[in-house]
Amino acid sequence: HAMDACRLALDLAPENPLALAVRGYALSQVMGDQEGAQRDIDRALQLAPNEAHAWLYQSVWNTHIHRHAAAVTCALQARVLSPLDPHAYFLETVLASAYAANEQYEHAINSATASLRLDHAHPPSLRTLMLSQFESGDKEGARATMTQLLKASPGLTIQSYTSMGNADSPVRKRVVDVFRHLGLPDHA
């Protein structure tokens, strides 16, 4: 559905920076097409260097290609460009994920917590918080966060999680490892 919406938007306005950025995000996050994502996000930033969402999606793309420090820089740039963003919870989630990918766990926990203050049941924020707690040595905190995650996402399994996005994502693979350590079942 996301790709259909992007296709329609770009048919109407082929050089729309936000539509290009969103398609780049979908290509990276859902389709695993990192080359296509880079092309679209780079074009969006060329057309509109102050487009906060393009910087945010560039962060996601950088995480997927293992450029974790660049992912943090891009997410911070998005936050600077949109300090009062109505979707600040999502911005904080992407920043938390970039910090977690870069193994900056204290920052990741702070950003995930900031996101959860804005949307207390946001599954991606809960997953990033759980990952960061676990990898920083707070196993009990991670277990408590997984309990919150299971309330927000009843029926969650490793299979359902891996089927919802780019299976090659390095952060996604680390989350799967944490799920296994904490006893999440593979299948329903």
Side-chain angles (χ1 to χ4, degrees):
H1 298 301
M3 293 306 293
D4 291 337
C6 291
R7 211 174 347 272
L8 178 60
L10 289 167
D11 284 346
L12 296 171
E15 294 287 292
N16 182 288
L18 182 57
L20 285 164
V22 170
R23 183 172 68 183
Y25 172 73
L27 287 169
S28 179
Q29 182 72 1
V30 179
M31 308 299 291
D33 178 1
Q34 304 313 328
E35 288 179 25
Q38 179 184 16
R39 180 186 60 247
D40 282 354
I41 295 167
D42 284 352
R43 181 68 180 142
L45 287 169
Q46 186 178 47
L47 292 167
N50 290 328
E51 173 55 62
H53 287 90
W55 284 102
L56 197 60
Y57 302 147
Q58 178 113 6
S59 173
V60 172
W61 173 75
N62 275 307
T63 298
H64 288 155
I65 63 163
H66 306 272
R67 293 179 48 197
H68 306 309
V72 170
T73 299
C74 290
L76 288 170
Q77 178 67 14
R79 188 165 67 177
V80 166
L81 290 170
S82 191
L84 301 175
D85 196 297
H87 299 108
Y89 74 94
F90 181 66
L91 193 151
E92 289 295 336
T93 297
V94 172
L95 180 57
S97 182
Y99 278 134
N102 206 39
E103 299 179 4
Q104 293 177 271
Y105 300 118
E106 184 177 341
H107 291 302
I109 290 167
N110 290 340
S111 289
T113 302
S115 175
L116 291 166
R117 277 196 296 274
L118 299 168
D119 183 349
H120 72 280
H122 187 234
S125 300
L126 289 165
R127 287 190 301 265
T128 301
L129 178 60
M130 177 197 70
L131 170 69
S132 299
Q133 290 169 321
F134 189 89
E135 289 188 349
S136 69
D138 181 8
K139 310 292 192 247
E140 289 310 308
R143 191 171 306 285
T145 300
M146 190 165 93
T147 299
Q148 288 179 269
L149 177 59
L150 291 172
K151 288 178 185 170
S153 300
L156 177 69
T157 64
I158 291 172
Q159 180 184 25
S160 68
Y161 173 65
T162 56
S163 70
M164 69 173 80
N166 175 7
D168 292 327
S169 164
V171 174
R172 184 175 296 272
K173 289 176 182 179
R174 288 165 49 198
V175 169
V176 167
D177 288 343
V178 173
F179 279 156
R180 286 205 166 96
H181 277 96
L182 296 177
L184 187 70
D186 280 318
H187 307 283

